[in-house]
Amino acid sequence: MAKSVSLESSSPGVVFLGQDYTRELRSDRARMYRGKKRVLIVGSTDLITPNAGKQFVWRGFLDYLKSKMAEIEVLYIDTSVTDNNSSVIGDAAPVVTLAERSRSMAALQALGGVLFGNPLQLGLWYSRSHAKSIQKAAAEFDPDVVVFDTIRAGLYLRSIKEQLPDTRITLFLDDLTSLRYSQLAKTAGRGAASPLDRVSNSVSPVIYALSHLPALQRIAYAYEAATLSRWERRLIEEAGVTTLMAEQEVDLSKQLVPGADVRVMPVRAKSRANGCVRASSPGRKAERSPIPEYIVVGDWGTAHNRDALMHLCEMVPALKEASIPFAIKMLGRGAPQEALNSLSSLGEARFSYHGYVPDLRELYTKAWYSLVPVRVATGVRVKVIEAWSWGLPVLTTDAGVRGMPFADGVNGAMFADAESLIEAMGRLADGEVQKRLACGATETFSNNYDTAATDSKYAGILGL
């Protein structure tokens, strides 16, 4: 793990892999870097917390950076508002950790910002002291490229662009957050899709209780959607290059900001599939399950995943009555007990919860399909890409694969409600159908997410 330092300490410095380079930065940059390009990454809390989807995307990006370490130097700044020293960036780059800020203060700042027409995100994730620290690091590091990861880190983009007007600025947006909040405004009555809970709970029990009122949730999310949309347009206008994960959102951004350089974010990963056939073969560590196994993966603390879990629970009564063979294996942290109780009523043979699983190889190898019951989604569902990387077809809603190279009957199947879910599961119980779809999933991954197909795109985005 790279050594972390605070730029707000009594004797601030910039540390690369444990060595203090502050003096060298000021006196002899050319000698220190030996002609290397310098990439400054300003990251958000999503990168350092246990978020499987985010880590999957960044694992590919970091693998690309590692492959270029002979040519580039990287400094990563963690802009988290709360202390967290675990980073998926590992030893790929040094880490500068900024001072901790309490959630209650961030929440109060967010609510106060509403008076000035600012989105809640601004108050939750922006800190003036952090902005000064980032500017200090940028001045000392003198980067050729600055990468802002997500809209949260992008809140610091304008000040860096003013400070370094000739430096290439790249903005990584997972999705258009405003679209996500627009969807939440329509689903506020469901209760599960409520990230507003986290803000209000940090302020007072009274405000937390009020935040559960569907009418207030709709108003809050509609407000956030409108204000975030303005911020997204401004950031896209100011960034040299902006990336999004879904083709439709790239097209929409180009319509909203004519002339902007907006591209699809590459997802670089290695295929783990054993060709197109998922039956047992020499060297495999696990046999495919004798009955159709469906993997359901998610960080159940996030709003869209909790809503997906609620969607699945709503179909439990119909699944109980179904005479088709199936077993659902659910993975991930933070599953609410109420949901687990509902799904457990299917019986031990049909449902099991495994919590956080650090090594997914055995479970993915034994599974037949990945089940993706999401209703609220923007961007690209990384869990679908990960399933395809294992040669695993997906059984999904339309929202689960919107904007992705999905074809019903080629690399998976689609459902809309309990009736169509059970009908699809009946068709997918045929082993020969599974093998054919597994072949389609493997080919889809190779054609769209293979290493060779993405490295040139990364280079173009970074201008390296």
Side-chain angles (χ1 to χ4, degrees), residues 50-132:
N51 182 318
K54 187 68 175 180
Q55 290 186 20
F56 185 85
V57 175
W58 270 86
R59 193 159 56 230
F61 179 57
L62 295 177
D63 283 346
Y64 168 77
L65 292 179
K66 286 179 182 179
S67 72
K68 301 294 183 181
M69 289 308 275
E71 307 167 28
I72 63 176
E73 191 82 32
V74 179
L75 174 64
Y76 172 71
I77 297 181
D78 163 23
T79 64
S80 303
V81 296
T82 55
D83 185 42
N84 188 330
N85 290 322
S86 64
S87 174
V88 300
I89 205 164
D91 60 1
V95 179
V96 174
T97 303
L98 303 183
E100 182 179 357
R101 193 160 60 112
S102 73
R103 288 192 181 278
S104 59
M105 289 301 296
L108 288 172
Q109 181 175 318
L111 294 174
V114 173
L115 299 175
F116 300 94
N118 293 327
L120 287 168
Q121 293 278 338
L122 177 61
L124 281 176
W125 302 110
Y126 183 83
S127 163
R128 290 183 180 179
S129 63
H130 287 189
K132 292 179 181 179

Side-chain angles (χ1 to χ4, degrees), residues 316 320 326-328 341-352:
V316 164
K320 284 183 181 180
F326 71 88
I328 296 174
N341 292 342
S342 174
L343 290 165
S344 295
S345 68
L346 292 170
E348 292 184 4
R350 286 185 158 186
F351 175 76
S352 58

Side-chain angles (χ1 to χ4, degrees), residues 97-428:
T97 303
L98 303 183
E100 182 179 357
R101 193 160 60 112
S102 73
R103 288 192 181 278
S104 59
M105 289 301 296
L108 288 172
Q109 181 175 318
L111 294 174
V114 173
L115 299 175
F116 300 94
N118 293 327
L120 287 168
Q121 293 278 338
L122 177 61
L124 281 176
W125 302 110
Y126 183 83
S127 163
R128 290 183 180 179
S129 63
H130 287 189
K132 292 179 181 179
S133 295
I134 294 168
Q135 289 174 321
K136 183 178 180 67
E140 295 181 342
F141 190 53
D142 191 24
D144 296 284
V145 185
V146 183
V147 176
F148 291 92
D149 171 48
T150 76
I151 190 172
R152 296 170 183 175
L155 297 174
Y156 302 100
L157 187 153
R158 172 171 284 186
S159 60
I160 294 300
K161 182 173 183 178
E162 292 174 350
Q163 179 185 357
L164 304 171
D166 298 324
T167 298
R168 186 180 183 88
I169 303 292
T170 299
L171 175 65
F172 286 178
L173 294 179
D174 297 341
D175 57 11
L176 292 175
T177 312
S178 58
L179 294 183
R180 190 190 315 165
Y181 275 90
S182 294
Q183 293 182 19
L184 288 171
K186 299 174 184 177
T187 62
R190 292 178 185 158
S194 185
L196 189 62
D197 289 354
R198 299 180 184 179
V199 182
S200 56
N201 191 36
S202 300
V203 181
S204 77
V206 174
I207 295 180
Y208 179 73
L210 290 173
S211 72
H212 282 75
L213 296 175
L216 290 181
Q217 286 184 358
R218 293 189 188 94
I219 293 172
Y221 295 143
Y223 167 84
E224 193 75 348
T227 54
L228 280 172
S229 180
R230 291 197 296 269
W231 272 83
E232 286 166 344
R233 293 184 191 186
R234 195 188 86 176
L235 291 174
I236 292 171
E237 287 174 350
E238 295 177 346
V241 178
T242 299
T243 66
L244 288 155
M245 294 187 67
E247 187 76 47
Q248 291 100 321
E249 293 182 24
V250 169
D251 294 339
L252 176 59
S253 298
K254 290 179 178 179
Q255 294 174 17
L256 295 175
V257 186
D261 188 346
V262 188
R263 312 182 190 184
V264 175
M265 174 67 174
V267 178
R268 181 186 195 262
K270 296 179 180 179
S271 175
R272 294 112 157 176
N274 188 14
C276 289
V277 181
R278 291 185 52 80
S280 61
S281 60
R284 291 178 72 90
K285 293 185 177 180
E287 297 284 342
R288 190 180 66 184
S289 170
I291 65 171
E293 260 187 22
Y294 295 83
I295 294 285
V296 183
V297 182
D299 172 4
W300 307 112
T302 61
H304 62 281
N305 281 330
R306 289 175 74 90
D307 185 72
L309 194 53
M310 179 177 290
H311 188 203
L312 183 59
C313 289
E314 290 172 359
M315 293 182 280
V316 164
L319 288 170
K320 284 183 181 180
E321 300 297 324
S323 59
I324 54 175
F326 71 88
I328 296 174
K329 291 195 172 183
M330 182 172 150
L331 316 175
R333 292 184 176 93
Q337 191 59 49
E338 182 180 358
L340 292 179
N341 292 342
S342 174
L343 290 165
S344 295
S345 68
L346 292 170
E348 292 184 4
R350 286 185 158 186
F351 175 76
S352 58
Y353 176 54
H354 299 261
Y356 171 69
V357 179
D359 189 343
L360 298 172
R361 281 176 292 184
E362 182 175 354
L363 288 167
Y364 268 112
T365 302
K366 293 179 69 175
W368 288 41
Y369 304 98
S370 175
L371 178 58
V372 186
V374 300
R375 294 184 292 196
V376 177
T378 53
V380 170
R381 267 57 61 206
V382 174
K383 65 189 69 181
V384 173
I385 300 174
E386 185 161 29
W388 285 338
S389 77
W390 288 93
L392 204 63
V394 294
L395 177 54
T396 177
T397 59
D398 173 70
V401 287
R402 191 177 299 133
M404 302 182 71
F406 171 84
D408 197 345
V410 175
N411 48 27
M414 190 174 291
F415 71 96
D417 51 28
E419 182 180 356
S420 57
L421 172 65
I422 293 169
E423 189 275 331
M425 292 174 78
R427 287 186 284 108
L428 299 179

